Amino acid sequence: MSKFYARRRVSILAALAALTASVSLFNGPTASAALPTPVSAATARTYLASLTVATEDRTGYSRDLFNHWITISGTCNTRETVLKRDGSNVVTDSACASTSGSWYSPYDGATWTVASDLDIDHLVPLAEAWDSGADSWTSTQRQNFANDLTRPQLIAVTDNVNQAKSDQDPATWMPSVTSYRCTYVRAWVQVKYYYDLSVDSAEKSALTNYLSSC
């Protein structure tokens, strides 16, 4: 094969791989797919500029209003699906529980080999969503948000790191791994934009500052 045709073949394969990745982003990842890649920093900046700025209101919030960890396929619920997706060499039993594997938590850089050491983080927390518009959603809309495998909204991370984050937005909490912060804010803005959620002024300022260095 000539060098020209070899290069052309590589280019075609790369294009097909990119197309496949794009399709999976919109159709939703399978249990073994990679974490959905957030929009670019440029796109995130455009999205952020269009978000409504409003004061947050938590009146009436309850986590139970967001039906989470629903069945995704067979015996696998959302948590188990994300664990299978985000881990390496994950082995599951007949109930879809992870019995072995390895998981890297991009928030703090830790690696775990026991699934119970991980939480599945709602990148935009449920309470944050409620504060910024989800209080007017239907139960179905809140369920879809709480189990969204298509947007970069769910990720397996160290359990106590997720608990420390709690319901904070980027104005008061960011991953300790600084190299992941650009990915984090791009994902945050993408999720808020897709679900037409507002941002408060401190949140927008923090997102703007982080995105400016992406």
Side-chain angles (χ1 to χ4, degrees):
M1 180 183 295
S2 70
K3 291 183 179 180
F4 171 80
Y5 285 107
R7 286 196 299 269
R8 186 181 180 192
R9 183 171 183 271
V10 169
S11 297
I12 292 171
L13 289 174
L16 287 172
L19 178 61
T20 300
S22 298
V23 170
S24 66
L25 176 64
F26 289 102
N27 291 340
T30 63
S32 60
L35 178 72
T37 302
V39 296
S40 69
T43 299
R45 286 190 286 268
T46 299
Y47 284 178
L48 179 59
S50 72
L51 295 181
T52 299
V53 178
T55 303
E56 294 182 350
D57 181 3
R58 192 160 298 184
T59 304
Y61 170 72
S62 170
R63 187 176 176 85
D64 293 339
L65 293 170
F66 293 80
N67 184 25
H68 52 287
W69 304 171
I70 61 173
T71 299
I72 299 299
S73 177
T75 59
C76 300
N77 67 21
T78 313
R79 170 183 165 82
E80 293 151 349
T81 300
V82 175
L83 284 173
K84 289 170 67 177
R85 183 197 68 189
D86 290 1
S88 298
N89 302 315
V90 177
V91 176
T92 58
D93 61 19
S94 59
C96 201
S98 298
T99 57
S100 64
S102 176
W103 293 268
Y104 173 77
S105 169
Y107 288 1
D108 59 332
T111 298
W112 304 97
T113 56
V114 178
S116 60
D117 287 325
L118 297 126
D119 280 351
I120 306 305
D121 180 40
H122 289 96
L123 192 136
V124 174
L126 303 182
E128 170 69 26
W130 179 271
D131 295 350
S132 50
D135 57 336
S136 65
W137 291 353
T138 65
S139 297
T140 298
Q141 287 174 311
R142 287 194 286 268
Q143 175 177 292
N144 290 342
F145 178 84
N147 299 278
D148 188 351
L149 293 167
T150 303
R151 263 60 55 183
Q153 162 67 348
L154 297 172
I155 183 171
V157 297
T158 303
D159 54 2
N160 62 350
V161 171
N162 182 52
Q163 291 151 24
K165 173 191 171 182
S166 185
D167 56 8
Q168 298 180 80
D169 68 33
T172 56
W173 189 93
M174 286 292 284
S176 60
V177 176
T178 56
S179 61
Y180 194 72
R181 290 179 177 178
C182 182
T183 300
Y184 185 82
V185 294
R186 286 158 46 211
W188 183 283
V189 172
Q190 179 180 348
V191 171
K192 282 229 158 176
Y193 178 83
Y194 180 83
Y195 286 99
D196 194 24
L197 296 171
S198 63
V199 291
D200 63 42
S201 56
E203 177 188 356
K204 183 172 182 178
S205 178
L207 291 166
T208 300
N209 290 337
Y210 283 115
L211 285 171
S212 68
S213 60
C214 283

